[in-house]
Amino acid sequence: MASEKPSSRGQAWFCTTGLPSDVVIEVDDMTFHLHKFPLMSKSRKLHELITEQETNPTRIQRNPEGAEGEEEIEEADDQHYCHMSLPDFPGGSEAFETAAKFCYGVKIELSSSNVVPLRCAGDFLEMTEEYSEDNLISKTERFLAQSVLKSSKDSITALKSCEGLMPMADTLGIVEMCIEAIATRAASADPSLFGWPVSENAGAPSSQALWRGQETSSRRKGVGASRGATAGSWFEELGLLSLTMFKRLIFEMKARDLSSEIIESCLIFYAKQFIPGISRSSRKPSSSTIPSENEQRELIETVIANLPQEKTLRSSTATRILFGLLRTANILNASEECKAALEKKIGSQLEQATLDDLLIPSYSYLNETLYDVDCVERILVHFLDGFEERSASRIEGEDENSGVRSAALMLVGKLIDGYLSEIASDANLKPEKFYKLAMALPDHARLFDDGLYRAVDVYLKAHPWRTEEERDKICSVMDCPKLTLEACTHAAQNERLPLRAVVQVLFFEQLQLRQAIAGTLMAADVGPAGAEGREANRQQEEQGGEEEDAGVGGGARAVGTWRVAVRENQVLRLDMDSMRTRVHELERECSTMKREIEKIDKAVPPSRAGGTGWRNSLTKKFGCKFKTQVCDSHEQPSVVQARKGRAHRHHE
């Protein structure tokens, strides 16, 4: 029977054996002209159907296939034909054609894409081992167990073929077997081999060889260095699955307590396949078919709902993709619960973000600003809440990680300062939002306030119409003792800063110079004494002429240290002279303002000026919230108490 050759004529399929066909079976839009004996020898169902029709014979009166069929009927006019239809055949006409070839003894080629339809076709036709040895069901089950289920990539392909065979494939347990095989292989993989993004390697070995390489030591040695490049290659097949099958796969992975990195990688890769715009480097989805907006919304809500809430040990690339998901969720109008969960997830790893990630466009008509400042503020709150929880639950064994936590907080502080500098030029940014975001971080999040000063300077430059009170409030976010000497020098000459801020900067700049001078003098005093002490020790340990040589060398080093200290003192004195000059200039300006105010008060009658109206208006204009008096730089400086917190400092 193996020599028989099938042929197709239009929508009809013939088996050219030299014998006329005696069975006509219709499957979908294809008509198969076959023979009774090969079919009845392998299929119990076809045997029963053919036997039933032979018991109640019917003669075909016409042949809708045309003239060739009419000639065949005339030649076999005395014969009885079995004509039957198999509606809803699993796998369609293609699967039935392969099953028919199997019945005729033709060698069929099984693959991960056709084994599931053939398994369902064998069950439909009742091609069991009890009815005939080495039948179709046993043959497909062996191929599934020995080949397909040992490869993650092939298992995903087989799972994809189950989608058109539901619910039969689910009833036969094929769907569950494929999902369990994928989850098992993923659980045995090394999470460190799943890179971002998943690289495509056309020349890499197949996933079947890779997974088998994990089972035999000889194959494992052969794979060697290519493991890292091919471990995540089966991710490419995830895009073949429908959302329903993908959700079942993720649920199985979660039930097996798989690594959160692997689950997150699967979710992100699947989302990138169908939703454009997640990655800024690639605006087009990997899949050729783009789902509708509703389907994309359902997909992204499913992905976000199944993301692990714990922090994953990933690079900034993973965080960038999470921000891409957030932007896409805003565009697709995803649910508020979905976006809130994603913001909390991003907040847990905010220190890995970049400034470009935080620049989330504002898609709502309610927001006047160009970027969504409220969203960044919520993410920052989530980060600070998690940081406080980790700090509160810190135990003795975790003290060694405190430095890492502080570094993460300082990274976020630098990131927020850069974000404030970027959004400060927005004309619609209210002072309250700027102030609230700048003050959200604790004091120890910033080592220096130079970045914050830059953001304040940009804001004042972009908003020259702000009132003096608003400008004072914006400047109050800075902590002048944390400004470096370069920032103090720039701020002292900055005309955009209010007078009060300039005076504070000058005071602390002078204080820094005094401390620097005092430290240098102390180092110079300690230098000779330390040299003499070391000299005495060397004199006790060494002998004869070596002691004299050591004494001469120690004295020379002491003299050199003293000369360096003297030169540094001279430079600092010059800086203090220039600082004193600037302070005197400010004093003269204050005196001039006082005389002008007194002249106006004397020149304008009280009835027209409204009492002290002129004084009050000018006081508000110049920002003088203290009694107008000439400052004397030669007076003894007052004691400045340490700042206990920004909330107390800005209470008034």
Side-chain angles (χ1 to χ4, degrees), residues 514-530 561-562 565 568-569 572:
R514 288 182 178 180
Q515 293 174 353
I517 293 173
T520 305
L521 292 176
M522 291 178 63
D525 293 338
V526 173
T561 304
W562 175 256
E568 291 179 352
N569 289 340
L572 291 174

Side-chain angles (χ1 to χ4, degrees), residues 223-234:
V223 174
S226 63
R227 282 188 66 187
T230 59
S233 60
W234 58 273

Side-chain angles (χ1 to χ4, degrees), residues 15 23 86 115 124 194 210 250 305 321 327 394 409 456 572:
C15 186
V23 177
L86 300 178
V115 63
F124 183 87
F194 293 84
L210 177 67
I250 294 299
I321 294 178
R327 287 191 296 269
R394 187 181 305 167
L409 183 61
V456 169
L572 291 174

